Amino acid sequence: RGGLAQSIEQALEIGRSIFSAGSTTVVVKPPASSGTDKVFYCEDERQLESAFEQVFQKPNSHGTISTSVSVTEWIDGQEY
């Protein structure tokens, strides 16, 4: 679950959809970056808004400006 947001309104809509489906955490990050660069784990709408503002229209680790923000459900499990 999730999607790309180009406005805070879109980010909140995606986040609300994820929270209402029972997820407790939403991941906000640049769609094109690497590692843990600007990856935020948000447990409520206030955190989601703050994370969006720290990613949207800001340069990622490659120096590219993020014109959208990835808002997705966090899934617990082993990372490879």
Side-chain angles (χ1 to χ4, degrees), residues 11-78:
L12 288 170
E13 182 179 330
I14 295 167
R16 287 178 186 133
S17 170
I18 293 168
F19 288 132
S20 69
S23 294
T24 59
T25 306
V26 170
V27 179
V28 175
K29 63 181 187 169
S33 195
S34 45
T36 59
D37 176 48
K38 294 187 180 176
V39 175
F40 298 92
Y41 298 92
C42 308
E43 296 179 348
D44 59 37
E45 289 184 21
R46 183 189 57 76
Q47 291 177 350
L48 194 157
E49 283 186 61
S50 176
F52 180 88
E53 291 176 4
Q54 293 180 63
V55 175
F56 188 64
Q57 296 296 333
K58 305 288 190 299
N60 63 24
S61 63
H62 305 291
T64 304
I65 300 294
S66 295
T67 58
S68 62
V69 175
S70 173
V71 181
T72 58
E73 175 183 16
W74 180 70
I75 300 173
D76 189 20
Q78 187 171 358

